[in-house]
Amino acid sequence: MGKIIGIDLGTTNSCVAVLDGGEAKVIENAEGDRTTPSIIAYASDGETLVGQPAKRQAVTNPHNTLFAIKRLIGRQFKDDVVQKDIKMVPYKIIEADNGDAWVEVNGEKMSPPQIAAQVLMKMKKTAEDFLGQPVTEAVVTVPAYFNDSQRQATKDAGKIAGLDVKRIINEPTAAALAYGMDKKAGDSTIAVYDLGGGTFDISIIEIAETDGEHTFEVLSTNGDTFLGGEDFDLRLIDYLADEFKKESGMDLHNDPLALQRLKEAAEKAKIELSSAQSTEVNLPYITADASGPKHLVQKLTRAKFESLVEELVERTLGPLKMALADADLEVSAIDDVILVGGQTRMPLVQKKVTEFFGKEPRHDVNPDEAVAVGAAIQAGVLSGDVNDVLLLDVTPLSLGIETMGGVASMLIDKNTTIPTKKTQVFSTADDNQTAVTIHVVQGERKQAAQNKSLGRFDLSDIPPSPRGMPQIEVAFDLDANGILNVSAKDKATGKEQSIVIKASSGLSDEEIEKMVKDAEANSAEDKKFEELITARNTADGMIHATKKTLEEAGDKATDEEKDAINTAITELEEAVKGDDVAAMEAKTKALTDASGNLAQKMYAEAQAAETAAGAGAAEEGGSAENSDAVDAEFEEVQEEEKEEEK
Amino acid sequence: MITWSARLEVASNNEDETVKAIYEGVNLTLKSFLDCFTKFNIEAVDPLGEPFDPQLHQAMSIQENAECEPNTVIAVMQKGYTLHGRVIRPAMVMVSK
């Protein structure tokens, strides 16, 4: 059985981890980074870029570079968050036929799961490269406040990426697992303070222990989806640019290169100030004017930086209070506070959190990776690699039906551990009513219309009788995968109706199936494309190298050899223009063979020259300069030889 | 180290006669740096005129340019570097539109 990987699918960055020999290990991607920007770009030549490369080309392709897709996933177009997002992103958010928020790229409509799948595919590939075996199963984390359709949409994204998402778990739960919170005996209540790159989340979790099994319940969550570490950087950049303007009168905001350098330097300074009391931002040649180059040298103390961003840190305290109030808890009821997200490395953040909770927060797990590590541990539990943890999932929102007067009557309360089954008997509201509509809703509101409608069906042919007489038994059966089966049975006639509700992400199974196929087809195409590029590059390299050899050592070749080489070059050049990989490879081989003789000759001569130069008896006088030149030539020939061997 | 060499490069772009000696010194220092890079398989990425490749380049800005094809690097603001073929710093470039 293959490994199950743990993926932290973040708004700004994503991270993948796997359990390796009992330890969760974060895997580096192809670029050598432990986290991957959650950015996807669709280039004009049809290529899809994910992560760092997508980020780098963003300026050239703003309309087709998608970021923060997590804010859209599983949401309706009319949703407030989506409407706010539309004003902030350069790409086009549109309303799909079913009312969902979709994105338009190159004139093509795409669903958020389809786009998020690209990130998941990259994470999958990262894991596969590391493990050396295919990966088909994953645990993916989502924010605790995600509703059913957002969770289902995340699952769909996994499916499109070729991953069977075994479990969706809450990010704070994953973080708590990474901190080993499940190892403690007895019940405890913890607060997870997650200040990431672009979002802030606070969650209050209750861990209950029964017979050594731990259940994690998210009591409440709160946060700010538009506050994160990037805002801290921005404050610092603005400050440095302002100071520079005061000194030199030049505004760095107008110079993209200077701004980019400043951005990098600001981030570095921010990180340094987490451990040092002061640092120096040193950017020579940051810009230039008529009087010559300008340098930016600025001393920065931790106190100064803290004064710049204190307001941002204060802003996290509001949601903290709200979350506690929602969970109906006093600050003193919190047993542990854990920190997640890179920005929590900042001493000021730690200090404020300590002040607020009256206890030291824990930050001994890398805050950028805690969530992915927790997901990997959960994956280990599912695959049987970890035995000492039992994690039970809970439903995040209450489930019930609409009853008289549009009231939502809940059958399954939120935070009930799943799988679970509940039945309740209802009756009719009118005399001689022969049919009832079972309208299944999800949410915490009392009014059914305010909650999310999951589906409805009718139970008819109820024998006419006074209101309140018929007994209709409604059963809710929620399985471990969050799939809800609702049935209604008229106890008098035994007639039964039921509906299976797979929390829908707004995508039908057929649509998902199609996207899965598209993704597979594209991966085949991508591979072809990669092969083509490789072949073309090899061919180009060979042409260039041979031409150079001919130029430098053409006099050593016979005319026949030269002709053969030139013909081979022309043919290869022709092949490179086309798209035929096989032809390119064949012609490359032909050219390699043709130039082989010449290279050998050169090699032999170079060796002779080397010996001559060494003896100091060469005509040139064997000066240092000359022997240098021979040396260089000698090495070049060797390179040729190596290329041939390939 | 890459940062230093890039700064030296900017510094060595000076044509002023009075500082010629210093200029030469800076240039030699730069050269020793570059030699050292080669030894450790660090290669500079200087893609002027090449098609823009986000695997190696970071687009800083775009500019209308009638002379060359769209998506071509028309200016290299800062060279990039690769170590054993892996990008350690992308080249910062201006791309044509």
Coordinates of all heavy atoms in Angstrom, one line a residue, chain A residues 448-518:
Chain A
A448 N -34.8 28.3 8.8 CA -34.3 27.4 7.8 C -33.8 28.1 6.6 O -32.8 27.7 6.0 CB -35.5 26.4 7.4
A449 N -34.5 29.1 6.2 CA -34.1 29.8 4.9 C -32.7 30.4 5.0 O -32.0 30.7 4.0 CB -35.1 30.9 4.6
Q450 N -32.2 30.7 6.3 CA -30.9 31.3 6.5 C -29.8 30.3 6.4 O -28.6 30.6 6.3 CB -30.9 32.0 7.9 CG -31.9 33.0 8.1 CD -31.5 34.4 7.5 OE1 -30.4 34.5 7.1 NE2 -32.5 35.3 7.4
N451 N -30.2 29.0 6.5 CA -29.2 28.0 6.4 C -29.0 27.5 5.0 O -29.7 27.9 4.1 CB -29.6 26.8 7.3 CG -29.5 27.2 8.8 OD1 -28.6 27.9 9.2 ND2 -30.5 26.7 9.6
K452 N -28.0 26.7 4.8 CA -27.7 26.2 3.5 C -28.6 25.0 3.2 O -28.7 24.0 4.0 CB -26.3 25.7 3.4 CG -25.9 25.4 2.0 CD -24.4 25.1 1.9 CE -24.1 24.2 0.7 NZ -24.4 24.8 -0.6
S453 N -29.3 25.1 2.1 CA -30.2 24.0 1.7 C -29.4 22.9 1.0 O -28.6 23.1 0.1 CB -31.3 24.5 0.7 OG -31.9 23.4 0.1
L454 N -29.5 21.6 1.5 CA -28.8 20.5 1.0 C -29.6 19.7 0.0 O -29.0 19.0 -0.8 CB -28.2 19.6 2.1 CG -27.2 20.2 3.0 CD1 -26.8 19.2 4.1 CD2 -26.0 20.7 2.3
G455 N -30.9 19.7 0.1 CA -31.7 18.9 -0.8 C -33.1 18.8 -0.2 O -33.4 19.1 1.0
R456 N -34.0 18.4 -1.0 CA -35.4 18.1 -0.5 C -36.1 17.0 -1.3 O -35.7 16.7 -2.4 CB -36.2 19.4 -0.7 CG -36.4 19.9 -2.1 CD -37.3 21.1 -2.2 NE -36.7 22.3 -1.7 CZ -37.4 23.3 -1.0 NH1 -38.6 23.1 -0.6 NH2 -36.8 24.4 -0.6
F457 N -37.0 16.4 -0.6 CA -37.8 15.4 -1.3 C -39.2 15.3 -0.7 O -39.4 15.8 0.4 CB -37.1 14.0 -1.3 CG -36.9 13.4 0.1 CD1 -37.9 12.5 0.6 CD2 -35.8 13.8 0.8 CE1 -37.7 12.0 1.9 CE2 -35.7 13.2 2.1 CZ -36.6 12.3 2.6
D458 N -40.1 14.7 -1.4 CA -41.5 14.6 -0.9 C -41.8 13.2 -0.4 O -41.4 12.2 -1.1 CB -42.5 15.0 -1.9 CG -42.4 16.5 -2.3 OD1 -42.0 17.3 -1.3 OD2 -42.5 16.9 -3.4
L459 N -42.6 13.1 0.6 CA -43.1 11.8 1.0 C -44.6 12.0 0.9 O -45.3 12.8 1.5 CB -42.8 11.5 2.5 CG -43.3 10.1 3.0 CD1 -42.6 9.0 2.3 CD2 -43.1 10.0 4.5
S460 N -45.2 11.2 -0.1 CA -46.6 11.4 -0.4 C -47.5 10.2 0.0 O -46.9 9.3 0.6 CB -46.8 11.7 -1.9 OG -46.2 10.7 -2.6
D461 N -48.7 10.2 -0.4 CA -49.7 9.2 -0.1 C -49.8 8.9 1.4 O -50.0 7.7 1.8 CB -49.3 7.8 -0.8 CG -49.2 8.0 -2.3 OD1 -50.0 8.9 -2.8 OD2 -48.4 7.3 -2.9
I462 N -49.8 10.0 2.2 CA -50.1 9.8 3.6 C -51.6 9.7 3.7 O -52.3 10.6 3.2 CB -49.5 11.0 4.4 CG1 -48.0 11.1 4.2 CG2 -49.8 10.9 5.9 CD1 -47.4 12.3 4.7
P463 N -52.1 8.7 4.4 CA -53.6 8.7 4.6 C -54.1 9.9 5.2 O -53.6 10.4 6.2 CB -53.8 7.4 5.5 CG -52.5 6.7 5.5 CD -51.4 7.7 5.2
P464 N -55.2 10.5 4.7 CA -55.8 11.7 5.3 C -56.2 11.5 6.7 O -56.8 10.5 7.1 CB -57.0 12.0 4.4 CG -56.8 11.2 3.2 CD -56.0 10.0 3.5
S465 N -55.7 12.4 7.5 CA -56.0 12.3 9.0 C -55.8 13.7 9.6 O -55.2 14.5 9.0 CB -55.2 11.2 9.6 OG -53.8 11.4 9.3
P466 N -56.4 13.9 10.8 CA -56.2 15.2 11.4 C -54.7 15.5 11.6 O -53.9 14.6 11.7 CB -56.9 15.0 12.8 CG -57.7 13.8 12.7 CD -57.1 12.9 11.7
R467 N -54.4 16.8 11.6 CA -53.0 17.2 11.8 C -52.4 16.7 13.1 O -53.1 16.5 14.1 CB -52.9 18.7 11.7 CG -53.8 19.5 12.8 CD -53.5 20.9 12.7 NE -52.6 21.3 13.7 CZ -52.4 22.6 14.1 NH1 -53.1 23.6 13.4 NH2 -51.6 22.9 15.0
G468 N -51.2 16.4 13.0 CA -50.5 15.9 14.2 C -50.7 14.4 14.4 O -50.0 13.8 15.3
M469 N -51.5 13.8 13.7 CA -51.8 12.3 13.8 C -50.7 11.5 13.2 O -50.1 10.6 13.8 CB -53.2 11.9 13.3 CG -54.3 12.1 14.4 SD -54.1 11.0 15.8 CE -54.5 9.5 15.0
P470 N -50.4 11.7 11.9 CA -49.5 10.8 11.2 C -48.1 10.9 11.9 O -47.7 11.9 12.4 CB -49.4 11.4 9.8 CG -50.6 12.2 9.6 CD -50.9 12.8 11.0
Q471 N -47.5 9.8 11.9 CA -46.2 9.7 12.5 C -45.1 9.5 11.4 O -45.1 8.4 10.7 CB -46.1 8.6 13.5 CG -46.9 8.9 14.8 CD -46.4 8.1 15.9 OE1 -46.1 6.9 15.8 NE2 -46.2 8.8 17.1
I472 N -44.3 10.5 11.1 CA -43.3 10.4 10.1 C -41.9 10.4 10.7 O -41.5 11.3 11.4 CB -43.5 11.5 9.1 CG1 -44.8 11.4 8.4 CG2 -42.3 11.5 8.1 CD1 -45.4 12.6 7.9
E473 N -41.3 9.2 10.5 CA -40.0 9.1 11.2 C -38.9 9.6 10.2 O -38.8 9.0 9.1 CB -39.8 7.6 11.6 CG -38.6 7.4 12.4 CD -38.3 6.0 12.7 OE1 -37.9 5.2 11.8 OE2 -38.6 5.5 13.9
V474 N -38.2 10.5 10.6 CA -37.1 11.0 9.8 C -35.7 10.5 10.4 O -35.5 10.7 11.5 CB -37.1 12.6 9.7 CG1 -35.9 13.1 8.9 CG2 -38.4 13.1 9.1
A475 N -35.0 9.9 9.5 CA -33.7 9.4 10.0 C -32.5 10.1 9.2 O -32.6 10.2 8.0 CB -33.6 7.9 9.8
F476 N -31.5 10.5 10.0 CA -30.3 11.1 9.4 C -29.2 10.1 9.7 O -28.9 9.7 10.8 CB -30.0 12.4 10.1 CG -30.6 13.6 9.5 CD1 -32.0 13.6 9.2 CD2 -29.9 14.7 9.1 CE1 -32.6 14.7 8.6 CE2 -30.5 15.8 8.6 CZ -31.9 15.8 8.3
D477 N -28.5 9.7 8.6 CA -27.4 8.8 8.8 C -26.2 9.5 8.1 O -26.1 9.6 6.9 CB -27.8 7.5 8.1 CG -26.7 6.4 8.4 OD1 -25.7 6.8 9.0 OD2 -26.9 5.2 8.1
L478 N -25.2 9.8 9.0 CA -24.1 10.5 8.4 C -22.9 9.6 8.6 O -22.5 9.2 9.7 CB -23.8 11.8 9.3 CG -22.8 12.8 8.8 CD1 -23.1 13.3 7.4 CD2 -22.7 13.9 9.8
D479 N -22.3 9.2 7.4 CA -21.2 8.3 7.5 C -19.8 9.0 7.7 O -19.7 10.2 7.7 CB -21.2 7.3 6.3 CG -20.7 8.0 5.0 OD1 -20.2 9.2 5.1 OD2 -20.8 7.4 4.0
A480 N -18.8 8.2 7.8 CA -17.4 8.7 8.1 C -16.9 9.7 7.1 O -16.1 10.5 7.4 CB -16.4 7.6 8.4
N481 N -17.4 9.6 5.9 CA -17.0 10.5 4.8 C -17.8 11.8 4.7 O -17.7 12.5 3.8 CB -16.9 9.8 3.5 CG -15.8 8.8 3.5 OD1 -14.7 9.0 3.9 ND2 -16.2 7.6 2.9
G482 N -18.7 11.9 5.7 CA -19.6 13.1 5.6 C -20.7 13.0 4.7 O -21.3 14.0 4.3
I483 N -21.0 11.8 4.2 CA -22.1 11.6 3.3 C -23.4 11.4 4.1 O -23.4 10.5 5.0 CB -21.8 10.5 2.3 CG1 -20.7 11.0 1.4 CG2 -23.1 10.2 1.4 CD1 -20.1 9.9 0.5
L484 N -24.4 12.1 3.8 CA -25.6 12.1 4.6 C -26.7 11.4 3.9 O -27.0 11.6 2.7 CB -26.0 13.5 4.9 CG -27.3 13.7 5.7 CD1 -27.2 13.2 7.1 CD2 -27.7 15.2 5.7
N485 N -27.3 10.4 4.6 CA -28.5 9.7 4.0 C -29.7 10.1 4.8 O -29.7 9.8 6.0 CB -28.2 8.2 4.1 CG -29.1 7.4 3.3 OD1 -30.3 7.8 3.1 ND2 -28.6 6.3 2.7
V486 N -30.7 10.7 4.2 CA -31.9 11.1 4.9 C -33.0 10.3 4.4 O -33.2 10.2 3.2 CB -32.2 12.6 4.7 CG1 -33.4 13.0 5.5 CG2 -31.0 13.5 5.1
S487 N -33.7 9.7 5.4 CA -34.9 8.9 4.9 C -36.1 9.3 5.8 O -36.0 9.8 6.9 CB -34.7 7.4 5.0 OG -34.4 7.1 6.4
A488 N -37.3 9.3 5.2 CA -38.5 9.6 5.9 C -39.5 8.4 5.7 O -39.6 7.9 4.6 CB -39.1 10.9 5.3
K489 N -40.1 8.0 6.8 CA -41.0 6.8 6.7 C -42.3 7.1 7.4 O -42.3 7.7 8.5 CB -40.3 5.7 7.4 CG -40.9 4.3 7.3 CD -40.0 3.3 7.9 CE -40.7 2.0 8.3 NZ -39.8 1.2 9.0
D490 N -43.4 6.8 6.7 CA -44.7 7.0 7.3 C -45.0 5.7 8.1 O -45.1 4.6 7.5 CB -45.7 7.2 6.2 CG -47.1 7.3 6.8 OD1 -47.3 7.3 8.0 OD2 -48.1 7.4 6.0
K491 N -45.1 5.9 9.4 CA -45.2 4.7 10.3 C -46.5 3.9 10.0 O -46.5 2.7 10.2 CB -45.1 5.1 11.7 CG -43.6 5.3 12.2 CD -43.5 5.4 13.7 CE -42.1 5.1 14.1 NZ -42.0 5.1 15.6
A492 N -47.5 4.6 9.6 CA -48.8 4.0 9.3 C -48.7 3.1 8.1 O -49.2 1.9 8.2 CB -49.9 5.0 9.2
T493 N -48.2 3.6 7.0 CA -48.2 2.8 5.8 C -46.9 2.1 5.5 O -46.9 1.2 4.7 CB -48.5 3.7 4.6 OG1 -47.4 4.7 4.5 CG2 -49.8 4.5 4.7
G494 N -45.9 2.5 6.2 CA -44.6 1.8 6.0 C -43.9 2.4 4.7 O -42.9 1.9 4.3
K495 N -44.5 3.3 4.1 CA -44.0 3.9 2.9 C -42.7 4.7 3.2 O -42.7 5.4 4.2 CB -45.0 4.8 2.2 CG -44.8 4.9 0.8 CD -46.0 5.6 0.2 CE -45.7 6.4 -1.1 NZ -44.7 6.1 -1.9
E496 N -41.7 4.6 2.4 CA -40.5 5.2 2.7 C -39.9 6.0 1.5 O -40.0 5.5 0.4 CB -39.5 4.2 3.2 CG -38.4 4.8 4.0 CD -37.4 3.7 4.6 OE1 -37.9 2.6 4.9 OE2 -36.3 4.1 4.9
Q497 N -39.3 7.1 1.8 CA -38.6 7.8 0.8 C -37.2 8.2 1.3 O -37.1 8.5 2.5 CB -39.3 9.1 0.5 CG -40.5 9.0 -0.5 CD -40.0 8.8 -2.0 OE1 -38.9 9.2 -2.3 NE2 -40.8 8.2 -2.8
S498 N -36.2 8.3 0.5 CA -34.9 8.7 1.0 C -34.1 9.5 0.0 O -34.4 9.5 -1.2 CB -34.2 7.5 1.5 OG -33.7 6.7 0.4
I499 N -33.1 10.1 0.5 CA -32.3 10.9 -0.4 C -30.8 10.8 0.1 O -30.6 10.7 1.4 CB -32.7 12.4 -0.4 CG1 -31.9 13.2 -1.4 CG2 -32.7 13.0 0.9 CD1 -32.4 14.6 -1.6
V500 N -29.9 10.7 -0.8 CA -28.5 10.6 -0.3 C -27.9 12.0 -0.7 O -28.0 12.5 -1.8 CB -27.7 9.5 -1.1 CG1 -26.2 9.6 -0.7 CG2 -28.3 8.2 -0.8
I501 N -27.4 12.6 0.3 CA -26.8 13.9 0.1 C -25.3 13.9 0.3 O -24.8 13.6 1.3 CB -27.4 15.0 1.1 CG1 -28.9 15.1 0.8 CG2 -26.7 16.3 0.9 CD1 -29.6 15.9 1.9
K502 N -24.7 14.0 -0.9 CA -23.2 14.1 -0.8 C -23.0 15.6 -0.9 O -23.4 16.2 -1.9 CB -22.6 13.5 -2.1 CG -22.4 12.0 -1.9 CD -21.4 11.6 -3.0 CE -22.1 10.7 -4.0 NZ -21.3 10.4 -5.2
A503 N -22.5 16.1 0.2 CA -22.3 17.6 0.2 C -21.8 18.0 -1.2 O -20.8 17.5 -1.6 CB -21.3 17.9 1.3
S504 N -22.5 18.8 -1.8 CA -22.1 19.1 -3.2 C -21.2 20.3 -3.2 O -21.4 21.2 -2.4 CB -23.3 19.4 -4.1 OG -23.7 20.7 -3.9
S505 N -20.3 20.3 -4.1 CA -19.4 21.5 -4.2 C -19.9 22.3 -5.3 O -19.2 23.2 -5.8 CB -18.0 21.0 -4.5 OG -18.1 20.3 -5.8
G506 N -21.1 22.0 -5.8 CA -21.5 22.8 -7.0 C -21.1 22.1 -8.3 O -21.4 22.6 -9.4
L507 N -20.4 21.0 -8.2 CA -19.9 20.3 -9.4 C -20.6 19.0 -9.4 O -20.6 18.3 -8.4 CB -18.4 20.1 -9.4 CG -17.6 21.4 -9.5 CD1 -16.1 21.0 -9.3 CD2 -17.8 22.1 -10.8
S508 N -21.1 18.6 -10.5 CA -21.7 17.2 -10.6 C -20.6 16.2 -10.7 O -19.5 16.5 -11.1 CB -22.7 17.2 -11.7 OG -22.0 17.2 -12.9
D509 N -21.0 14.9 -10.5 CA -20.0 13.9 -10.6 C -19.4 13.8 -12.1 O -18.2 13.6 -12.3 CB -20.6 12.5 -10.3 CG -20.7 12.3 -8.8 OD1 -20.2 13.2 -8.1 OD2 -21.3 11.3 -8.3
E510 N -20.3 14.1 -13.0 CA -19.9 14.0 -14.4 C -18.8 15.1 -14.7 O -17.8 14.9 -15.3 CB -21.0 14.2 -15.4 CG -22.0 13.0 -15.4 CD -23.1 13.2 -14.4 OE1 -23.7 14.2 -14.3 OE2 -23.2 12.2 -13.5
E511 N -19.1 16.3 -14.1 CA -18.2 17.4 -14.3 C -16.9 17.1 -13.7 O -15.8 17.4 -14.3 CB -18.8 18.7 -13.7 CG -19.9 19.4 -14.5 CD -20.5 20.5 -13.8 OE1 -21.0 20.4 -12.7 OE2 -20.5 21.6 -14.3
I512 N -16.9 16.5 -12.5 CA -15.6 16.2 -11.9 C -14.9 15.2 -12.7 O -13.7 15.3 -13.0 CB -15.9 15.6 -10.5 CG1 -16.5 16.7 -9.6 CG2 -14.6 15.1 -9.9 CD1 -17.0 16.2 -8.3
E513 N -15.6 14.2 -13.2 CA -15.0 13.1 -14.0 C -14.3 13.7 -15.2 O -13.2 13.4 -15.6 CB -16.2 12.2 -14.5 CG -15.8 10.7 -14.6 CD -14.9 10.2 -13.5 OE1 -15.2 10.3 -12.3 OE2 -13.8 9.8 -13.9
K514 N -15.0 14.7 -15.8 CA -14.5 15.3 -17.0 C -13.2 16.1 -16.7 O -12.2 16.0 -17.4 CB -15.5 16.3 -17.6 CG -15.1 16.9 -18.9 CD -16.2 17.8 -19.5 CE -15.7 18.6 -20.6 NZ -14.7 19.7 -20.2
M515 N -13.2 16.8 -15.5 CA -12.1 17.5 -15.1 C -10.9 16.6 -14.8 O -9.7 16.9 -15.1 CB -12.4 18.4 -13.9 CG -13.2 19.6 -14.3 SD -13.8 20.4 -12.8 CE -15.0 21.6 -13.6
V516 N -11.2 15.4 -14.2 CA -10.2 14.5 -13.9 C -9.5 14.1 -15.3 O -8.3 14.0 -15.4 CB -10.7 13.2 -13.2 CG1 -9.7 12.2 -13.1 CG2 -11.3 13.6 -11.9
K517 N -10.4 13.8 -16.3 CA -9.9 13.3 -17.6 C -9.0 14.4 -18.2 O -8.0 14.2 -18.7 CB -11.0 13.0 -18.5 CG -11.7 11.7 -18.0 CD -12.1 10.9 -19.3 CE -12.8 9.6 -18.8 NZ -14.2 9.8 -18.4
D518 N -9.6 15.7 -18.1 CA -8.8 16.8 -18.7 C -7.4 16.9 -18.1 O -6.5 17.1 -18.8 CB -9.6 18.1 -18.4 CG -10.7 18.3 -19.4 OD1 -10.9 17.5 -20.3 OD2 -11.5 19.3 -19.2

